[in-house]
Amino acid sequence: MPEFAIVRTVADLRAQVGAWKRSGQRVALVPTMGALHEGHLSLIALAKTRAERVVASVFVNPTQFGPNEDFDAYPRGEARDAELLAGAGCDLMFAPGVAEMYPQGFSTSISVTGVSEPLDGAARPGHFNGVATVVTKLLLQCGPDVAVFGEKDYQQLQVIKRLVRDLDIPVEIIGAPTSRLEDGLARSSRNAYLSETEREVAGRMNLALSEAVRRLKAGESVERVEATGRAALERAGFQRIDYFEVRNADDLSHPGPGTLSGPGRVLAAAVIGKTRLIDNMAVE
Ligand code: PAF
């Protein structure tokens, strides 16, 4: 087999991963929706430290987009993705078509309660069922030893950790730190939608989050920090704020009023122009 290959069927994926495993090599999976950027490449780099072989899946998953969301507009560019993956030392790209993932008659949905319900779960009904279903399929199709996901999608990461525990899927889930641009904006495929002026506004979300972390550490109350954060996003020019909230880090339950006592996470989602951005930061 050449150094880097593209496969499109579950059978070909399993054949290659099976051969690696039989020869004693550990396999890592990095699930993506393509439109790759340096953030994704940092996930590949992390995966390479944890396994001899790295598989990246590239699949724009229709079931995680709502009817009025950007599924059609989502940036796609398979040739460029393949080039970037090969350059980053990825061994195999799994790029299935929709019919391979959701054949005629497909009728199953994985639903994770609790951790998937607030925040993006409330703002994007059905989104996490789509994510949980496709990630479960990818894990069962590939059978990796480890799978790497970015902390930028922090709630998604917690949903995936929960489903892997609940369904006894034998894989270690690793969260990778958010990759950021010079002004702190989290790298995202959706940044490509931003105009020059929107890009400036976008760069203020991470400032509002780090200010919230600073205030929480200084003992300011959760409700005050949330109100100040929302006001900062409004002032920055975001047109719709879906949430700016402080949550407990592990199960994303709300810590209630008063000061934060355990490890927390501040999470935000807001819209500028046609682009919905999310980001989050740890309060350790
Ligand atoms: O984070 C993403 O890119 C997607 O939600 C994922 C995990 C690849 C599932 O489609």
Side-chain angles (χ1 to χ4, degrees):
M1 179 157 192
E3 282 214 338
F4 174 78
I6 301 177
V7 292
R8 300 189 187 279
T9 65
V10 176
D12 287 347
L13 172 67
R14 286 203 171 126
Q16 181 56 71
V17 171
W20 285 332
K21 287 191 149 186
R22 280 192 300 279
S23 68
Q25 300 183 78
R26 277 168 60 83
V27 176
L29 172 67
V30 180
T32 82
M33 295 207 299
L36 302 180
H37 50 69
E38 275 180 50
H40 295 109
L41 302 185
S42 71
L43 305 184
I44 302 286
L46 178 56
K48 280 172 71 69
T49 68
R50 302 298 299 265
E52 281 84 26
R53 296 292 183 172
V54 176
V55 178
S57 60
V58 173
F59 178 63
V60 185
N61 173 34
T63 66
Q64 68 188 77
F65 289 80
N68 299 316
E69 294 185 352
D70 57 344
F71 175 68
D72 290 332
Y74 198 84
R76 291 161 171 89
E78 191 185 285
R80 182 178 167 277
D81 288 343
E83 207 174 298
L84 287 172
L85 289 173
C90 174
D91 298 282
L92 189 68
M93 170 166 142
F94 175 47
V98 173
E100 180 72 6
M101 292 300 275
Y102 299 112
Q104 193 74 27
F106 188 89
S107 325
T108 301
S109 174
I110 303 288
S111 170
V112 180
T113 57
V115 69
S116 73
E117 287 167 15
L119 308 167
D120 264 17
R124 303 181 67 189
H127 169 66
F128 284 124
N129 285 1
V131 170
T133 304
V134 81
V135 170
T136 303
K137 281 176 67 73
L138 289 166
L139 292 174
L140 296 177
Q141 290 163 345
C142 179
D145 298 284
V146 300
V148 182
F149 297 84
E151 282 186 354
K152 191 201 143 246
D153 296 295
Y154 187 77
Q155 188 176 13
Q156 166 175 283
L157 176 63
Q158 303 314 311
V159 169
I160 291 165
K161 283 185 173 168
R162 185 74 258 166
L163 82 84
V164 161
R165 277 199 299 273
D166 290 353
L167 300 180
D168 304 309
I169 302 177
V171 62
E172 183 189 353
I173 300 298
I174 301 171
T178 302
S179 172
R180 296 185 181 279
L181 293 150
E182 306 77 63
D183 63 347
L185 174 65
R187 284 197 166 88
S188 162
S189 305
R190 290 192 169 96
N191 291 351
Y193 301 151
L194 298 168
S195 70
E196 216 171 292
T197 34
E198 289 166 353
R199 169 67 187 80
E200 257 182 56
V201 175
R204 305 212 186 111
M205 182 181 272
N206 74 94
L207 300 180
L209 287 167
S210 47
E211 175 62 11
V213 171
R214 192 192 65 73
R215 285 168 180 263
L216 286 163
K217 283 184 174 166
E220 202 167 284
S221 73
V222 165
E223 59 273 32
R224 232 183 114 87
V225 168
E226 289 177 338
T228 309
R230 289 184 75 89
L233 293 188
E234 272 162 23
R235 263 199 321 279
F238 283 94
Q239 286 135 7
R240 191 185 86 215
I241 295 152
D242 283 350
Y243 55 81
F244 189 103
E245 289 189 26
V246 182
R247 294 273 164 166
N248 292 315
D250 52 351
D251 62 0
L252 294 179
S253 58
H254 198 273
T259 55
L260 186 66
S261 53
R265 204 89 192 177
V266 193
L267 305 101
V271 173
I272 171 78
K274 289 192 186 128
T275 313
R276 183 176 185 274
L277 297 174
I278 62 170
D279 197 357
N280 67 86
M281 283 185 194
V283 197
E284 260 123 26

